[in-house]
Amino acid sequence: MSNDERGATLLEVLGAAVILGIVVILFSNLFGYSLLAGKRSSDLLDVRGVAEQELHLARAAIKQNGQTPADRTVNGLFVDYSLTVQPPTSPPAGRTQSEAFTLQAVVSVQGSPRWLTVTVSREGA
């Protein structure tokens, strides 16, 4: 072999191309996952905003007439209200914790404390 080599061998070029391909694939997967995580985070913020709004609405309804509003749909989200003597330990029937976002507050109904639970979930979830 001579000392004046001026280029890369075919094997070196192929090795570099494989390494570059692996790096590109890894970064494209990471980018895709970050987009999914961003979408999920945005959806969760929307659901939480609806839950907070509905909690305030339910507290006002209880203060005014002693009852929760009827269950309803808001922006494509199902809102379930419950008023109990003891804190509930699970989401409403048919819903799992991962499918629902729940907020709770203690309210006074005719001088007695009650647990108000507002659960927001996707319709059909």
Side-chain angles (χ1 to χ4, degrees):
M1 247 196 215
S2 67
N3 288 339
D4 60 347
E5 289 185 29
R6 295 187 185 221
T9 66
L10 180 59
L11 190 56
E12 291 171 330
V13 170
L14 288 175
V18 167
I19 291 171
L20 181 62
I22 290 171
V23 169
V24 167
I25 289 171
L26 290 175
F27 277 114
S28 67
N29 285 341
L30 182 64
F31 180 71
Y33 288 128
S34 68
L35 286 178
L36 290 175
K39 171 88 170 92
R40 173 98 171 111
S41 176
S42 175
D43 287 349
L44 186 58
L45 282 174
D46 291 345
V47 170
R48 182 184 176 136
V50 168
E52 289 176 352
Q53 175 184 347
E54 294 301 312
L55 181 69
H56 292 299
L57 176 81
R59 290 177 97 170
I62 290 169
K63 189 174 184 178
Q64 185 176 18
N65 62 21
Q67 296 179 346
T68 62
D71 294 349
R72 64 194 195 126
T73 301
V74 177
N75 298 334
L77 300 169
F78 181 74
V79 181
D80 177 70
Y81 306 94
S82 68
L83 198 56
T84 58
V85 176
Q86 295 183 354
T89 57
S90 63
R95 311 240 183 239
T96 64
Q97 193 62 43
S98 64
E99 297 171 334
F101 188 87
T102 302
L103 289 178
Q104 295 178 332
V106 176
V107 295
S108 177
V109 178
Q110 298 174 349
S112 299
R114 298 284 190 263
W115 283 92
L116 169 62
T117 303
V118 175
T119 303
V120 178
S121 58
R122 297 264 173 229
E123 283 188 283

